Amino acid sequence: MLIVSNAYQYYLNVYGNSAATRYDTHPKSELRNVYNDIVKINKESPLYKIRRNKEIPKFLIDIKENARQAKNVVSSLSDSTEGLESAFQKKVAVSSDEGIVSASYIGSGKDGNVSRSHQIEVRQLAAPQSNHGNFLDSRALDFEPGDYSFDLITTTNSYEFQYTVKPDDTNRSIQEKLSRLFNTSGVGVTAEVITDEKDRSSLKLTSRQTGLNGNKTVLFDIKPKADETSMEALDTLGIDRITTPARNASFLLDGIEQTSYSNTVTVGGIFELTLNGVSPEDTPAQIGFKTSVDAVADNLQELVDSYNSFIKTGERYSKSPQGNRLLHDFKSISFSHRDNLESIGLMIAEDGSLSVDRELLANAVETKDLRGTFSVLNSFKNSFSAKANYVSLDPIRYVDKTIVAYKRPGQNNYPSPYHSSLYSGMMLDHLC
């Protein structure tokens, strides 16, 4: 199952930290429609085998994630019921100092009476708790072989950790063993082994959570078991001592002092602010909205970036049949709209990728027929959305495969709804 293992490892490394958005949740009716579409596709699908190729799982993951991101971008531009102009001119939040605070708009688009600007002065960032253990000789063993345990107490739960020291262990191997134990246990604490210039190693623990509520003094506490050997082992590790306590974010919002457990705060259900640094004294950052033309350009850039991700994926796999098929399908979208797109500032390169000429776009938005401009944008958006949905339902259609048998045409063939979804489990070893 090496291909399967590599596929999951690739997904975790490349996409494992991708943040979910509100467009990644779907009502039952939408999920039912997706299922019905898959059944329809497979009703007449031939039986085939996929050739053994370690690149295929990566390719399928890449285009599936590209399709998900594309559908999210299209959904964000389709929220409004007030027409295309409102959708493409969706408000875009802006900060005067991104190094101190970055801003994004999270409103509904129907919040015209709310304050359009705020001042924020960041005095302190929220921070996690860190316990930095003792530096020990990496190659020596300062523990007696045997079984040890300690308790991790968080703000909500208590966990018991057990570990064994073998005669052939070293201080570093024990620290690495405990680091893996923390990182795979899902207890809200991450661990890493740090080495100094003297080749000594230390185990550092950091809480995922930041900030403290009013009646808490720590985010996690480590206590040894009552037996003497466990207490001595924990004293040797030194991970029970807090080196950096957790703290709350502190800032002035429009002159009023505020605190937060994290560095992400919302203002009036309109702005989501991410605190990135401490402000110079008496120098607040300004939060507001971009101008109409800038908002159109920024929202359009999201659509362009999403489209270009398919082109880049196709180029990356261009030496294989699947990459060429993907490139052909997505190049045909931009080339079929070329004249109309370039007339409003969406420039098309020879490889089919798009770029935004803001000067031409501003001219199209401000001086030309606005309805015609947004009609062009909407036509491109719809074509791109349809193709992304096409890819999402059955990405294996792009993969080079051997047809084994066709289903009899005109017969009442039974659907196999999971046939095209085999890629989702990356069980390609069984198809080779």
Side-chain angles (χ1 to χ4, degrees), residues 28-141:
K28 290 182 180 179
S29 59
E30 186 177 350
L31 297 176
R32 190 181 300 112
N33 290 338
V34 171
Y35 172 82
N36 290 335
D37 287 340
I38 291 176
V39 170
K40 184 178 179 180
I41 289 171
N42 284 282
K43 193 170 184 181
E44 304 298 334
S45 177
L47 176 65
Y48 55 76
K49 293 176 68 177
I50 297 176
R51 297 190 176 102
R52 182 181 294 272
N53 186 332
K54 65 180 181 180
E55 294 298 311
I56 288 178
K58 296 179 181 179
F59 172 76
L60 295 172
I61 290 171
D62 285 340
I63 64 173
K64 183 68 175 179
E65 283 299 306
N66 288 345
R68 181 183 70 85
Q69 293 166 11
K71 292 169 74 174
N72 287 352
V73 169
V74 169
S75 295
S76 73
L77 293 174
S78 305
D79 276 350
S80 176
T81 59
E82 299 176 5
L84 302 174
E85 293 87 348
S86 177
F88 274 105
Q89 293 186 84
K90 187 183 66 171
K91 296 172 183 176
V92 176
V94 63
S95 166
S96 63
D97 191 341
E98 293 282 341
I100 300 300
V101 57
S102 53
S104 59
Y105 173 67
I106 58 172
S108 64
K110 300 178 181 179
D111 31 52
N113 294 326
V114 301
S115 176
R116 290 179 170 271
S117 64
H118 296 277
Q119 289 186 338
I120 181 168
E121 182 180 336
V122 182
R123 293 182 167 180
Q124 176 178 279
L125 294 177
Q129 175 183 327
S130 292
N131 287 23
H132 200 149
N134 297 323
F135 278 102
L136 307 175
D137 186 340
S138 296
R139 299 174 184 175
L141 180 61

Side-chain angles (χ1 to χ4, degrees), residues 351-376:
D351 64 356
S353 62
L354 298 175
S355 60
V356 180
D357 186 319
R358 294 200 171 215
E359 186 175 343
L360 284 176
L361 180 64
N363 183 59
V365 170
E366 294 177 344
T367 64
K368 291 187 177 181
D369 174 30
L370 198 59
R371 186 180 297 276
T373 297
F374 286 111
S375 177
V376 171

Side-chain angles (χ1 to χ4, degrees), residues 153-216:
I153 304 166
T154 69
T155 56
T156 56
N157 288 295
S158 178
Y159 307 90
E160 182 181 14
F161 283 75
Q162 299 177 346
Y163 61 103
T164 299
V165 176
K166 299 177 181 179
D168 58 347
D169 273 324
T170 63
N171 291 328
R172 186 179 181 90
S173 70
I174 296 300
Q175 291 165 337
E176 289 176 341
K177 185 186 302 183
L178 288 172
S179 177
R180 290 191 296 271
L181 192 59
F182 275 104
N183 291 332
T184 59
S185 61
V187 296
V189 174
T190 60
E192 61 178 326
V193 177
I194 299 173
T195 304
D196 67 6
E197 65 281 357
K198 297 180 180 179
D199 195 31
R200 298 180 305 172
S201 56
S202 167
L203 182 61
K204 181 181 179 181
L205 307 179
T206 306
S207 64
R208 294 185 185 274
Q209 182 182 341
T210 59
L212 292 165
N213 63 28
N215 59 353
K216 299 291 183 181

Side-chain angles (χ1 to χ4, degrees), residues 307-336:
Y307 170 83
N308 286 343
S309 68
F310 281 101
I311 298 296
K312 291 176 182 177
T313 298
E315 292 285 358
R316 192 159 62 248
Y317 297 96
S318 59
K319 294 183 179 180
S320 65
Q322 59 259 24
N324 289 326
R325 294 187 190 109
L326 186 72
L327 275 174
H328 176 271
D329 271 12
F330 280 88
K331 281 182 178 181
S332 66
I333 299 175
S334 57
F335 287 139
S336 65

Side-chain angles (χ1 to χ4, degrees), residues 240-254:
D240 55 334
R241 293 186 291 275
I242 298 174
T243 51
T244 305
R247 64 172 185 261
N248 297 333
S250 174
F251 55 94
L252 294 177
L253 182 64
D254 296 331

